[in-house]
Amino acid sequence: MTGLTAELVVDGRSPRSLALAPNGRLLCYVLAPASRTGAHLDTELWLVDTDGAFASRRATADTATEARPRWSADSETLFFLSDRGDRGTAQLHGLTVADGTTTTLTSWRGGVIDHLPLTDPNLVALLAEDEPTERDTRRVRDRDDAVVVGEQEPRARLRLLDLRTGRVTTPNVFGGRHVVEMRQRPDGGALAVLTWAGADNDYGPRTGQLHLFDPTTGAAEDLGSVGVDARSLAWWPGEDGWHLGYLALTPPLLQAGTAVFDLAVDSRVLRNRTAGLSMCPTELCQTDAATLVVFADGLNTTLARLDPTDLTTLSRHPGRLDNLTTTPTGEEIAVLTGTRYQTPNVHLGPPTGPLRRITNTRPELDGVALGTQQSLAYRAADGLHLDGLLVLPTGSTASEGPFPLVTIVHGGPYDRYADRCQLFWFPSAQWLAAAGYAVFLPNPRGGQGRGHQFAASVAGRVGQQEWSDILTGIDLLIAEGVADPDRLGIAGWSHGGFMSAWAIGQTDRFRAALVGAGVVDWGMLAATGENGQFEAALGGSIGWSGIGPHPHDAVSPISFARHIRTPVLILHGAEDTNVPLGQAVYLHRALRHFDVEHEFVIYPREGHSIRERNHQLDVLRRTHAWFDRWLRP
């Protein structure tokens, strides 16, 4: 067995964007590196024969960003996006399976955002912004390019590519709204199209509407508004005609569990098909007869079929299932999944299971020693059932404790820890376990996997019961002799960074903390973050609510900065638009004011996630060194 290094973590490649051919004989996936060294992420398309040999071969040879593989209805052509001709500008390409030739199909200035091959073999639906005009080009050249917010904002529009002529046309439909998703009816009929009023993430997801579009006649029909943050469209036939499903937040809150909504197209009757479930739907996958639904189910995943009147459970799986793809009959599926000690790979099989692994994209990890991972189940202070994970130091057993313990809080908060391999570029359990730490991964209320009410319970009350849930788990591990109460650390990224900053303002029990891209002022985040109204729902108010103090002040870590005595490592991307850099600057200035030991690191060119290889290496090594400095005897 070999030891884990930072290079092993960030230099790996992983599969994503699975596409199973309609005839079930080939599967395509994108192979993507965990980090990048240049301005662009170089990805590759790979094909796998599903006849039992599982022989993988690279489908393309160019250095490019390749994405969104999708098959023609006859399984003879693989369509995909690639920027091989002009880095950063994707065009649609077609790979002919029979002879392996690749053809560039579009030359749309500004690039193609998404595509959908239609059942008509001569048509592909595209999503693309308007091409720049001569005036646009001149304004950029002359630097006469003042931006008037609300005017001429870039919006994706539905377009049709005729493969016979290469001509792209733009139907005059949807009133200039921003198109975000489309799905054709299984019988080759109308396209369901999801639009927003604009592309702004703060506004757009709250303005969703559904439409029908006939690619043959060009006729369009409005189906009305949809739930907030709607996505994952899927059709299925019913006795009363066609049904159209989608995922969206359960009303009326913006912090809520997702639900499957079922719209009977003819009658316009809308139903929530997952109301009251203690699971959360994460993905819909269309087949000819019935839609498959992936559910986050505690630490694990359930796959179900949406029948006319009920949900039928097909299989249950440890950890996560992602990127579900299926043949039109639904008899064969492919997903990304892994184990506690294996990173996700492509698995294939019937939806009822079992699934067979058909790729091994991280063989370099096969001989690496990892810490023992186990699931936890406990009750919150108010009796609520909770779960989480414990990862022990590599090579150790629980009986050898107590160990220094680092609690890593997940982001979201609408996310979860699933029982999968916890090895990532950001502060992760196996990385710290290799350094000799026990790691607690809690799933406090507000997260995914336990139904709508569990998720909605933190709206306007972040840092309250979820903090109590986390603290109860830490105390349990101390009582069981796993954690050393004098060597506790806490860490997190995004909402996890918020919880880390919150924790050290509430208690001095932690000897070290890491705040990665964390929220410290909810009012400021609602005003400047790209998801403003969603953040206001979490914080409970917004600055324009009137003269303060506001509810969000009571749940903002910055309000408790005077109480912080714990040394803090602050990590943040300079170009973060989700949680802008100002949040980290605010915390840094407060800690400097109160003379609290801290280190503030800004990563140039980075957004909410750190992508560049050297920056990822720095995050891992700096995290290791920080906790060693404060938690080692």
Side-chain angles (χ1 to χ4, degrees), residues 388-603:
L389 297 170
L390 171 67
V391 179
L392 295 171
T394 303
S396 300
T397 63
S399 62
E400 298 174 64
F403 305 103
L405 178 80
V406 178
T407 298
I408 306 177
V409 186
H410 67 64
Y414 195 58
D415 199 353
R416 64 166 176 151
Y417 282 116
D419 198 2
R420 60 169 175 162
C421 186
Q422 301 294 328
L423 183 62
F424 313 101
W425 63 263
F426 49 85
S428 58
Q430 289 295 352
W431 174 244
L432 288 175
Y437 296 94
V439 182
F440 174 42
L441 306 176
N443 280 327
R445 70 194 78 196
Q448 185 184 62
R450 289 186 172 269
H452 162 61
Q453 290 300 330
F454 186 85
S457 62
V458 302
R461 293 181 291 162
V462 286
Q464 306 301 302
Q465 288 176 300
E466 59 179 322
W467 166 232
S468 175
D469 293 347
I470 293 168
L471 200 57
T472 298
I474 294 172
D475 288 339
L476 173 66
L477 294 174
I478 292 172
E480 292 181 347
V482 173
D484 183 343
D486 296 322
R487 292 186 292 166
L488 299 177
I490 190 164
W493 203 270
S494 191
H495 190 82
F498 154 71
M499 285 305 306
S500 183
W502 175 262
I504 57 177
Q506 307 303 308
T507 179
D508 60 2
R509 294 178 63 181
F510 297 102
R511 292 184 57 184
L514 185 155
V515 176
V519 182
V520 301
D521 188 304
W522 288 101
M524 181 174 161
L525 184 63
T528 62
E530 64 184 21
N531 303 299
Q533 291 297 312
F534 292 86
E535 311 298 2
L538 285 168
S541 61
I542 200 166
W544 60 57
S545 302
I547 298 174
H550 301 100
H552 66 253
D553 294 323
V555 293
S556 292
I558 202 66
S559 300
F560 300 88
R562 68 176 59 250
H563 301 305
I564 297 176
R565 296 295 178 266
T566 302
V568 186
L569 174 61
I570 308 170
L571 307 177
H572 217 107
E575 306 300 326
D576 192 344
T577 56
N578 187 320
V579 180
L581 178 62
Q583 296 279 327
V585 173
Y586 201 176
L587 179 59
H588 157 65
R589 290 181 177 180
L591 296 179
R592 183 174 59 187
H593 177 78
F594 292 112
D595 197 26
V596 178
E597 182 88 31
H598 71 287
E599 189 173 289
F600 180 24
V601 184
I602 301 171
Y603 296 103

Side-chain angles (χ1 to χ4, degrees), residues 139-188:
R139 291 184 67 215
V140 172
R141 183 194 64 211
D142 297 342
R143 295 179 178 260
D144 181 21
D145 52 357
V147 176
V148 180
V149 176
E151 293 184 11
Q152 296 180 325
E153 291 182 347
R155 296 181 179 182
R157 304 188 194 278
L158 172 66
R159 310 181 196 272
L160 294 176
L161 168 64
D162 190 323
L163 295 172
R164 295 165 296 189
T165 64
R167 183 170 176 242
V168 175
T169 57
T170 303
N172 185 20
V173 290
F174 315 138
R177 291 172 62 85
H178 175 63
V179 180
V180 293
E181 190 176 340
M182 50 193 174
R183 183 78 61 230
Q184 188 171 29
R185 218 167 60 193
D187 66 347

Side-chain angles (χ1 to χ4, degrees), residues 36 572-577 603-616:
R36 58 179 171 82
H572 217 107
E575 306 300 326
D576 192 344
T577 56
Y603 296 103
R605 300 173 300 281
E606 300 285 12
H608 196 54
S609 295
I610 306 302
R611 300 301 186 192
E612 295 187 20
R613 180 180 186 272
N614 286 336
H615 291 164
Q616 290 186 352

